[in-house]
Amino acid sequence: MHGLVRRAALPLALLGAAFAAAPAGAAPPPDPQTSNVPYLAWRGEHVRLVKCDSSIALTGQTADVLVEDWSGADPARSMPAVVAGSVKFFNDDARGVNCVRATLVAVKAGIAPIKLIVSDAAGNQVLTHQFQAAWLNLNTPSIHEVAATDQTGDPWLGDPAGDGNFVAGGRSGRIQVMVTGNLPLLGNYAELGLGPAINLPAGWSSLAHALATDANALDQTPWLRWDIHDDDVLYPLATQDGVDGVAGNPFQFYRKFFGDTTSNPADGPFDPQRPDATLLSDGKLDAGDAPMPAARVDVAIAPNSGAPTDISGVGYLGNVQKQRVYSRDRTGAATDHNIYAPFNRQYIPATTAPSPSASGIDGQAANNFNGFLVNGLYTNWDVATVLTQALGGNTNCLLRRNSTPLLDLVQWDKVFRQLPSGNQNVVVYTDEHGEAQVTYTPGTGMFFDNLGALMNDNGGCDLQGIDVLGRSNITATARYPYQPVTDPAKVSAPPLVKTVHSLFTKNLTYWPKGPGPENDVARIVVAHAQDITGVGFGH
């Protein structure tokens, strides 16, 4: 009896002990289809619902799909619609079971109970199953500079204080973006007493207490059936974490609450049709259980305005490996219990998972709109698409000459300091907790002509005394990932500001060659010069 074996009220210390002892007497993983865990999607996305059961036959039966209620505004206009032709019977050979599927779409936000009724040729109901599917509004994303002391920080960050101060040519920093969703609870859903709307993932537990069901009539705590996922907490001890990595495989995880391991590989998102890979219950119900859909996030460095004194628009963006960030040693090594907070990969859309009965977000094909910019297995948080790049090129600031010609009549031997280059606007997708990260690398390309540096007699620009070489203003824009809707994209504010500093210096140091009047006319002189990166100049 699933509801009676949950231990959600255990204190953390006891919870860790329970996980450690779980293999001896753990409950077997339950079938998620015996509950009603909602599919979560963003507005405009298609959601494929799938039910597999031994009572379903491929011939002699019919299937009806009914949208029974709607929590969004103006139900007469905005309720989810069943995609014509999507209701199909099929056989999943690998599982040896027959199934029914249907696809629905909504361009407004709300949650709907959706009834599947399978009937025989005489009109008798063979199977009735109620799904829950919710389409969310995007909230404005938050954007944060990761510091070394943050949970996801590491000692190799270019700005360990997380204050956005970098050295030219130095190490990369990381930018964290969090995306949440808003779910209206209007109309009949006012009866739940949760207010006119709820934010997810924070409100997941409240929603579960209000709506969760269990086929087991003896289950007195059906909301615990919505405990489907691990959290993203770094616990002091691995024994306290309900789900973490199996040695030798970065894509397989211990499920300590059930006393087993996931199938290999365990790639998201959560799918009730793929519980061996995606059901990651950890024995407690919280915000970490909400199966947040992948949102598209465009992270961008604001371009240089072209004004003669503008030094902004420097640096470039890149991808972050979630597997490394969420590992105890920050290397992503597949040692026992090192990797935590899965998933490290997910299928976008969900129905590209290699299973005939894969369910969830659908919509591979798009014609006159972007659709998904990936189609298949996506590694969190790879750059899915580069939207704009800086191409670099020479400035008028001479760095060095490769030779010393008698007459300065040619340019071939001159090496100039460079303009910024690299990715300026990139697309990443959030994971099941609504998080994405990207790297920021300061580089050595700057708008040197705009620094006001003095030009010396041999054509070089003198950077002595110039501390700040460039700045970057970075924003994150959350977009509906599949198709445009009337709700506009959401832009983080204020922007993150990065400041790139110079280590350029030059000096002469001297001291007497020795004692006595004979040495008064001689000095030992040492010249020191280092570039903007702190690396010394040399011949």
Side-chain angles (χ1 to χ4, degrees), residues 3-29:
L4 301 181
V5 299
R6 290 284 172 163
R7 301 182 178 87
L10 282 176
L12 183 61
L14 296 179
L15 190 65
F19 285 148

Side-chain angles (χ1 to χ4, degrees), residues 217-232:
L218 299 180
D219 186 356
Q220 300 301 301
T221 56
W223 50 86
L224 294 178
R225 294 297 309 276
W226 288 24
D227 165 23
I228 59 169
H229 202 67
D230 189 21
D231 55 32
D232 59 0

Side-chain angles (χ1 to χ4, degrees), residues 24-49:
D31 179 2
Q33 291 190 100
T34 59
S35 184
N36 65 339
V37 179
Y39 292 89
L40 298 186
W42 299 110
R43 287 171 57 176
E45 289 188 311
H46 296 201
V47 176
R48 179 190 294 176
L49 309 178

Side-chain angles (χ1 to χ4, degrees), residues 91 117 133 324 354 435 524 537:
N91 176 258
I117 301 173
R324 184 177 71 84
E435 180 181 5
I524 296 173
F537 288 105

Side-chain angles (χ1 to χ4, degrees), residues 412-453:
W412 65 267
D413 68 326
K414 295 182 178 181
V415 178
F416 292 90
R417 295 190 183 273
Q418 297 295 293
L419 291 164
S421 62
N423 301 336
Q424 303 291 291
N425 191 345
V426 300
V427 176
V428 291
Y429 286 92
T430 56
D431 65 11
E432 71 289 344
H433 291 130
E435 180 181 5
Q437 293 194 21
V438 299
T439 58
Y440 170 82
T441 305
T444 57
M446 310 288 163
F447 294 93
F448 290 99
D449 295 339
N450 298 349
L451 289 171

Side-chain angles (χ1 to χ4, degrees), residues 415-506:
V415 178
F416 292 90
R417 295 190 183 273
Q418 297 295 293
L419 291 164
S421 62
N423 301 336
Q424 303 291 291
N425 191 345
V426 300
V427 176
V428 291
Y429 286 92
T430 56
D431 65 11
E432 71 289 344
H433 291 130
E435 180 181 5
Q437 293 194 21
V438 299
T439 58
Y440 170 82
T441 305
T444 57
M446 310 288 163
F447 294 93
F448 290 99
D449 295 339
N450 298 349
L451 289 171
L454 295 175
M455 302 296 292
N456 53 36
D457 287 345
N458 60 1
C461 54
D462 190 348
L463 300 179
Q464 184 74 13
I466 296 177
D467 172 30
V468 176
L469 295 177
R471 292 187 174 88
S472 295
N473 297 301
I474 300 176
T475 56
T477 301
R479 300 185 186 277
Y480 290 95
Y482 184 58
Q483 69 179 16
V485 296
T486 53
D487 188 35
K490 304 298 193 297
V491 184
S492 62
L496 278 184
V497 178
K498 313 283 189 179
T499 303
V500 182
H501 299 271
S502 173
L503 295 180
F504 183 95
T505 187
K506 55 183 180 178

Side-chain angles (χ1 to χ4, degrees), residues 183-460:
L183 178 65
L185 296 174
L186 306 174
N188 293 332
Y189 284 77
E191 297 169 350
L192 301 179
L194 299 178
I198 195 168
N199 284 320
L200 293 175
W204 182 253
S205 178
S206 297
L207 198 65
H209 277 79
L211 294 179
T213 62
D214 190 339
N216 178 9
L218 299 180
D219 186 356
Q220 300 301 301
T221 56
W223 50 86
L224 294 178
R225 294 297 309 276
W226 288 24
D227 165 23
I228 59 169
H229 202 67
D230 189 21
D231 55 32
D232 59 0
V233 176
L234 176 59
Y235 290 98
L237 301 175
T239 54
Q240 295 173 326
D241 197 341
V243 179
D244 57 18
V246 173
N249 193 324
F251 306 113
Q252 187 176 25
F253 301 93
Y254 292 109
R255 299 191 296 189
K256 299 173 187 176
F257 187 74
F258 302 131
D260 65 3
T261 60
T262 65
S263 59
N264 176 30
D267 297 318
F270 169 74
D271 184 347
Q273 298 299 329
R274 299 191 295 121
D276 289 346
T278 67
L279 180 62
L280 303 177
S281 306
D282 62 356
K284 55 185 174 57
L285 179 68
D286 53 29
D289 293 306
M292 293 302 291
R296 171 180 163 176
V297 178
D298 299 0
V299 183
I301 299 172
N304 186 278
S305 67
T309 59
D310 188 1
I311 59 172
S312 67
V314 303
Y316 57 92
L317 305 170
N319 61 272
V320 171
Q321 283 189 316
K322 181 184 176 184
Q323 174 184 328
R324 184 177 71 84
V325 171
Y326 282 97
S327 61
R328 290 182 170 273
D329 65 2
R330 293 295 186 267
T331 69
T335 54
D336 218 27
H337 305 292
N338 186 41
I339 298 171
Y340 67 103
F343 300 104
N344 294 324
R345 303 185 301 193
Q346 60 177 314
Y347 288 97
I348 299 177
T351 55
T352 59
S355 169
S357 54
S359 67
I361 294 171
D362 197 8
Q364 297 97 318
N367 189 337
N368 63 340
F369 54 92
N370 290 161
F372 299 110
L373 301 182
V374 295
N375 186 49
L377 191 57
Y378 170 74
T379 300
N380 297 325
W381 297 293
D382 278 356
V383 171
T385 300
V386 177
L387 298 177
T388 60
Q389 282 187 312
L391 301 179
N394 290 341
T395 67
N396 294 314
C397 185
L398 184 64
L399 174 61
R400 66 177 184 272
R401 303 192 72 153
N402 288 329
S403 63
T404 307
L406 295 176
L407 296 174
D408 187 12
L409 298 177
V410 293
Q411 297 291 323
W412 65 267
D413 68 326
K414 295 182 178 181
V415 178
F416 292 90
R417 295 190 183 273
Q418 297 295 293
L419 291 164
S421 62
N423 301 336
Q424 303 291 291
N425 191 345
V426 300
V427 176
V428 291
Y429 286 92
T430 56
D431 65 11
E432 71 289 344
H433 291 130
E435 180 181 5
Q437 293 194 21
V438 299
T439 58
Y440 170 82
T441 305
T444 57
M446 310 288 163
F447 294 93
F448 290 99
D449 295 339
N450 298 349
L451 289 171
L454 295 175
M455 302 296 292
N456 53 36
D457 287 345
N458 60 1

